[in-house]
Amino acid sequence: MEKYRKEAEQTFDTFCGLLDHIGWKYRADRNSLGISTGASGEDLPMEIVLRFNPAIGRFFLMSQMPVTMKEEKRIDAALVVNEFNKDKKLGAFDLDFESGRIFFKVTQCFVGCRVSEELCSFLLQFSLKFIDDYNDKFLMLNNGLISTEQFLAAVKS
C-alpha cells in the first residue's frame, strides 16, 4: 500500500531541491524514495540516509554512528542513549543491543502538509549537530577514553 505516494514524492523532491540549492553531494533513488549522503564533522565522517515512506506518510533521517559498541560497553551505551532520549522532543539514538550498533534518527510526518526547504534544512542541520557532537563520544566510551559518568555529564549539559 502506497497511500501517500504523491506526498512522499513531493517531500523527496523538496529535500533533493534543498541539497541541490546548497550544492550538497548525494545519491537519490526516486523509485525507492531514498537519499544517501554524508558530511565531514569536526572529527569523524557522518553517513546519512533518508527514506520517504509512502505507506505511512513519514520520512526518516538516519545515521549509523561509526562505532560498534563492545559487548562489555553496551550497558554503558544503553544508559547514555536512555539519558539522551528521555527529554528530547525531536531526534533520538537507538542502540541495537545485540549488535552494538547505534543510530541517530529523526522522523517527520508529511501527510496533509507541504514540507518546505526550510524544514528540510533545519532537520538536516539539527541532525548533523547531534551526530557530530556524539559520534566521537560513543567511540571514546567504547575505547575506555571517557567514563559513562563523563558521557552522562556531557549529555546533561
Side-chain angles (χ1 to χ4, degrees), residues 78-111:
L79 292 169
V80 170
V81 165
N82 184 63
E83 184 64 30
F84 178 88
N85 291 345
K86 76 177 187 180
D87 294 325
K88 297 293 185 281
K89 306 292 186 250
L90 182 64
F93 283 108
D94 282 338
L95 169 65
D96 180 332
F97 199 82
E98 189 172 314
S99 71
R101 294 179 301 169
I102 299 173
F103 300 86
F104 180 79
K105 69 177 182 178
V106 171
T107 183
Q108 184 68 44
C109 179
F110 52 72
V111 175

Side-chain angles (χ1 to χ4, degrees), residues 87-154:
D87 294 325
K88 297 293 185 281
K89 306 292 186 250
L90 182 64
F93 283 108
D94 282 338
L95 169 65
D96 180 332
F97 199 82
E98 189 172 314
S99 71
R101 294 179 301 169
I102 299 173
F103 300 86
F104 180 79
K105 69 177 182 178
V106 171
T107 183
Q108 184 68 44
C109 179
F110 52 72
V111 175
C113 61
R114 186 125 174 115
V115 175
S116 67
E117 276 193 19
E118 291 79 11
L119 176 61
C120 295
S121 178
F122 169 78
L123 292 172
L124 180 62
Q125 296 301 322
F126 172 88
S127 297
L128 289 172
K129 177 181 179 0
F130 279 109
I131 295 163
D132 195 36
D133 285 351
Y134 288 94
N135 60 10
D136 59 327
K137 290 178 181 63
F138 280 114
L139 183 61
M140 290 189 297
L141 178 67
N142 195 50
N143 293 333
L145 300 173
I146 62 171
S147 68
T148 306
E149 293 75 20
Q150 288 171 310
F151 199 162
L152 288 171

Side-chain angles (χ1 to χ4, degrees), residues 5-136:
R5 181 77 189 187
K6 182 179 176 184
E7 293 95 331
E9 289 175 348
Q10 288 173 340
T11 306
F12 172 87
D13 290 342
T14 300
F15 222 107
C16 289
L18 164 72
L19 296 173
D20 290 339
H21 182 245
I22 62 176
W24 199 286
K25 293 183 182 183
Y26 65 97
R27 292 177 312 281
D29 182 342
R30 188 168 181 81
N31 291 330
S32 69
L33 294 173
I35 299 172
S36 298
T37 189
S40 295
E42 290 183 22
D43 39 29
L44 298 170
M46 299 174 280
E47 295 296 321
I48 297 168
V49 175
L50 291 112
R51 295 285 179 251
F52 302 80
N53 189 319
I56 62 172
R58 300 188 74 79
F59 75 84
F60 301 85
L61 183 154
M62 297 165 283
S63 180
Q64 182 176 337
M65 298 292 101
V67 60
T68 300
M69 299 305 292
K70 298 173 189 171
E71 195 167 334
E72 65 270 16
K73 294 291 187 177
R74 292 179 190 170
I75 290 176
D76 296 330
L79 292 169
V80 170
V81 165
N82 184 63
E83 184 64 30
F84 178 88
N85 291 345
K86 76 177 187 180
D87 294 325
K88 297 293 185 281
K89 306 292 186 250
L90 182 64
F93 283 108
D94 282 338
L95 169 65
D96 180 332
F97 199 82
E98 189 172 314
S99 71
R101 294 179 301 169
I102 299 173
F103 300 86
F104 180 79
K105 69 177 182 178
V106 171
T107 183
Q108 184 68 44
C109 179
F110 52 72
V111 175
C113 61
R114 186 125 174 115
V115 175
S116 67
E117 276 193 19
E118 291 79 11
L119 176 61
C120 295
S121 178
F122 169 78
L123 292 172
L124 180 62
Q125 296 301 322
F126 172 88
S127 297
L128 289 172
K129 177 181 179 0
F130 279 109
I131 295 163
D132 195 36
D133 285 351
Y134 288 94
N135 60 10
D136 59 327

